[in-house]
Amino acid sequence: VPLDIPVIDETTQNKAGFIGAMSGYNDGWPGAVLYRSADGGQTWVDLQGFTGKATIGNAYGTLPESTGTLIDKRVLNIGMQSGELYSVTYDQMLGGVNYAAYGVDGRWEIVRFKDAVLQADGSYNVSGFIRGDRGTEWTTGLHAVNDYFILLDDSDLIFMGAAIEVVGADCDYRAVTSGETIDSASDQGFTYQGVNLECLSPVNASGLRDVSGNFSGSFTRRSR
């Protein structure tokens, strides 16, 4: 899963590139290599090897639109493809633990969560959310059933640097299991838009027009 998302790790905030989350369905999965083609599949370049399984799940329901001003105590049931989720304290969550990317490409919401309760079927009931984090408040009302839920604290995620020329370029990607041929994998189209390089939109906008019709506006800037 390619993650074109806002900066979580501030050491990469000025570098072009995106995060890759990789996993296999079987316990004996040996890892994989990610390849990219910029010419419609005529040639392929290997980008990154992956050896560990990322913590990847899918949402069985949806969370509604949120202003992000309060802790969202609604419950979202997550079925895991690989990995486990864990509960943390409020202080840990507020301090920057349990970040997750919730959604799909083009509408990722960055959340943090406090509670993850394992269910009898192996899924988790996740609750206690900080919603619309890192400037993603605009995505909170766009979710659908089966959206990805990917733990961003996972050390098996890898940031892959890219040339600035790749921003906006339509490319094909293949995740090839180690030991297999490149033809064993399917194409996955992805366009890196440089979301991690973008400024956050301002907030608290207000305006006033005087008796002469002159308009004065104000807003609060946000830093990445």
Side-chain angles (χ1 to χ4, degrees):
V1 183
L3 295 163
D4 190 9
I5 58 175
V7 169
I8 302 299
D9 179 1
E10 294 184 0
T11 64
T12 62
Q13 66 177 351
N14 296 318
K15 300 177 182 178
F18 60 91
I19 295 171
M22 189 87 75
S23 186
Y25 289 107
N26 300 322
D27 290 338
W29 181 67
V33 178
L34 183 66
Y35 290 82
R36 179 176 64 208
S37 175
D39 55 12
Q42 296 184 50
T43 58
W44 294 89
V45 177
D46 60 299
L47 294 183
Q48 181 68 51
F50 292 77
T51 57
K53 291 184 176 183
T55 303
I56 302 175
N58 295 93
Y60 290 152
T62 61
L63 291 177
E65 186 175 3
S66 171
T67 61
T69 56
L70 298 172
I71 300 296
D72 191 335
K73 296 186 177 181
R74 297 179 180 87
V75 176
L76 184 64
N77 187 237
I78 305 293
M80 303 305 298
Q81 294 186 26
S82 60
E84 300 174 334
L85 301 177
Y86 300 93
S87 297
V88 296
T89 67
Y90 272 118
D91 286 343
Q92 288 173 319
M93 178 181 68
L94 295 174
V97 175
N98 267 5
Y99 273 107
Y102 169 38
V104 295
D105 187 43
R107 55 174 179 82
W108 290 110
E109 179 187 355
I110 304 302
V111 301
R112 281 177 272 172
F113 63 94
K114 177 182 179 292
D115 296 314
V117 181
L118 182 63
Q119 304 299 295
D121 62 357
S123 66
Y124 288 84
N125 280 347
V126 182
S127 61
F129 292 96
I130 292 176
R131 301 286 310 278
D133 214 349
R134 304 285 172 158
T136 61
E137 64 278 350
W138 65 273
T139 69
T140 61
L142 303 179
H143 293 295
V145 174
N146 209 43
D147 273 358
Y148 281 116
F149 193 88
I150 300 175
L151 187 68
L152 298 178
D153 296 345
D154 195 329
S155 60
D156 290 315
L157 298 182
I158 299 177
F159 178 84
M160 294 170 289
I164 198 68
E165 291 80 10
V166 175
V167 177
D170 297 331
C171 296
D172 294 318
Y173 293 80
R174 288 186 183 180
V176 181
T177 298
S178 297
E180 299 292 334
T181 66
I182 195 168
D183 292 330
S184 66
S186 300
D187 288 353
Q188 181 176 354
F190 171 64
T191 303
Y192 167 56
Q193 300 288 3
V195 172
N196 64 311
L197 302 176
E198 295 177 355
C199 300
L200 300 187
S201 61
V203 293
N204 301 326
S206 63
L208 179 67
R209 193 176 299 277
D210 63 22
V211 294
S212 300
N214 300 312
F215 180 83
S216 299
S218 65
F219 56 85
T220 303
R221 296 177 63 185
R222 287 191 292 178
S223 169
R224 288 183 295 142

